[in-house]
Amino acid sequence: MLAKDEDNDEDRHEELARAKLTLIECFVAIAVSLTCVCMSAVFLVQEIEFIVARGVSDNFLGLILVPLVEKAAEHLTAVDEAWDNQINFALFHCLAPSIQTALLNAPLTVIVGWGMGKEMSLNFEIFMVVLLVLSILVVGNFLRDGKSNYLEGALCVLVYFIVAVCTWYYPGVEIASTNQY
């Protein structure tokens, strides 16, 4: 399936003619980019409380802003692959990070938080669970026939904007203080 998409790549001859990096250059590039991404993530996390203090809801920040910034390169890669008629590669770039987050990152975060003595759980609000289920149903229905068109893409973007508006106006959950004096 992926090999067939690779054969259908419209600019494959241009990509094969490009100069390739050596192994050492690849490791240096990965190290530099990983350092930059980690620093960006640290700076982003440090600014979250100031952004929330200005009126942006936690849900909007966690579901819309952070993933949009974090996955910008993957989004552009998926668009480029779809433009080159490699729809399976584009689909894998969209679905694989979601699966990785659901099955690895979230449970690993809870385990690391437990090890550090931080109270964390996978007990999500009903609002988040409903959004997740509805998103899965919408995307699943569009992928069921194995074809796509501009209308289905536009509807997916519309669903994303609906989720963004819902999370912007969803009332924040106040955390009750457990400190007793």
Side-chain angles (χ1 to χ4, degrees):
M1 173 169 53
L2 295 177
K4 183 179 176 187
D5 275 358
E6 188 67 32
D7 292 337
N8 291 338
D9 187 3
E10 294 176 1
D11 61 354
R12 181 176 183 185
H13 60 283
E14 294 173 9
E15 291 174 5
L16 292 175
R18 289 185 196 159
K20 306 293 187 248
L21 295 175
T22 65
L23 184 64
I24 300 298
E25 291 171 335
C26 289
F27 281 128
V28 169
I30 288 173
V32 169
S33 62
L34 186 60
T35 302
C36 291
V37 167
C38 289
M39 288 175 28
S40 297
V42 168
F43 295 144
L44 179 67
V45 168
Q46 289 174 348
E47 296 298 318
I48 286 177
E49 63 186 63
F50 300 112
I51 294 171
V52 170
R54 291 184 177 186
V56 177
S57 70
D58 287 339
N59 290 330
F60 184 80
L61 190 68
L63 282 175
I64 305 300
L65 286 183
V66 172
L68 195 62
V69 171
E70 177 187 7
K71 306 283 189 217
E74 288 180 1
H75 298 319
L76 292 175
T77 302
V79 168
D80 181 53
E81 289 167 346
W83 187 268
D84 291 340
N85 201 22
Q86 295 178 314
I87 197 66
N88 289 321
F89 281 117
L91 189 61
F92 287 146
H93 263 104
C94 295
L95 294 180
S98 301
I99 294 169
Q100 180 183 10
T101 299
L103 298 179
L104 175 70
N105 297 353
L108 185 63
T109 302
V110 171
I111 291 170
V112 169
W114 172 71
M116 294 173 58
K118 307 269 185 187
E119 173 113 13
M120 301 181 91
S121 71
L122 293 175
N123 186 16
F124 298 107
E125 297 177 41
I126 190 69
F127 175 71
M128 298 296 172
V129 174
V130 168
L131 283 179
L132 177 68
V133 170
L134 288 177
S135 300
I136 291 170
L137 289 174
V138 167
V139 173
N141 280 326
F142 289 157
L143 296 176
R144 189 174 35 191
D145 61 355
K147 296 182 272 184
S148 182
N149 56 39
Y150 74 94
L151 182 60
E152 289 178 344
L155 289 174
C156 281
V157 171
L158 180 65
V159 169
Y160 184 80
F161 283 120
I162 291 170
V163 169
V165 169
C166 289
T167 56
W168 180 265
Y169 290 109
Y170 185 74
V173 178
E174 297 297 325
I175 300 174
S177 176
T178 58
N179 295 336
Q180 300 290 327
Y181 294 107

